[in-house]
Amino acid sequence: DKNYLSLANGTTGYFSANQSYYVIKDFLSVYQSVSFKLTNIVTETSTPFASGSLKYNNKGIRGTATVFIALYLIDNQWRISQITIN
């Protein structure tokens, strides 16, 4: 299984769960999180999703990114299908 990532640093594509972990870890080491808040959570659908705001610090400059996370159900387990941080 692969999930889709699209990050503010230009990284996009399909990655395995293990690769996704390291790609996001590397991203967050540069775009250091100051705060994160989910503002929209939709669960009443077969493909639930959530979106929110990430406030970060990148080389002393503060910024804000929109975060989107989508899920899908496989073998009675929820899996992440997409993470977008832009």
Side-chain angles (χ1 to χ4, degrees), residues 1 3-5 7 15 17 20 22-23 26 34-35 38 44-47 53 58 65 67 74 76 78:
D1 291 322
N3 50 40
Y4 181 77
L5 298 179
L7 305 178
F15 298 89
S20 295
Y22 288 105
V23 169
D26 289 346
V34 174
S35 68
L38 289 175
E44 303 301 321
T45 176
S46 61
T47 54
S53 178
N58 179 7
V67 177
I74 186 166
N76 287 326
W78 288 107

Side-chain angles (χ1 to χ4, degrees), residues 2-86:
K2 294 195 174 207
N3 50 40
Y4 181 77
L5 298 179
S6 176
L7 305 178
N9 65 358
T11 301
T12 60
Y14 288 90
F15 298 89
S16 70
N18 194 43
Q19 289 171 318
S20 295
Y21 170 82
Y22 288 105
V23 169
I24 292 172
K25 181 180 176 184
D26 289 346
F27 175 83
L28 292 175
S29 72
V30 175
Y31 294 84
Q32 297 173 345
S33 176
V34 174
S35 68
F36 173 70
K37 182 177 182 179
L38 289 175
T39 54
N40 186 30
I41 301 171
V42 176
T43 59
E44 303 301 321
T45 176
S46 61
T47 54
F49 64 91
S51 62
S53 178
L54 169 69
K55 292 184 181 181
Y56 61 85
N57 187 351
N58 179 7
K59 298 178 184 175
I61 300 172
R62 289 199 172 209
T64 303
T66 300
V67 177
F68 176 83
I69 303 167
L71 304 173
Y72 69 99
L73 186 63
I74 186 166
D75 297 329
N76 287 326
Q77 291 184 333
W78 288 107
R79 305 284 174 108
I80 296 173
S81 61
Q82 178 180 345
I83 298 175
T84 303
I85 305 173
N86 288 318

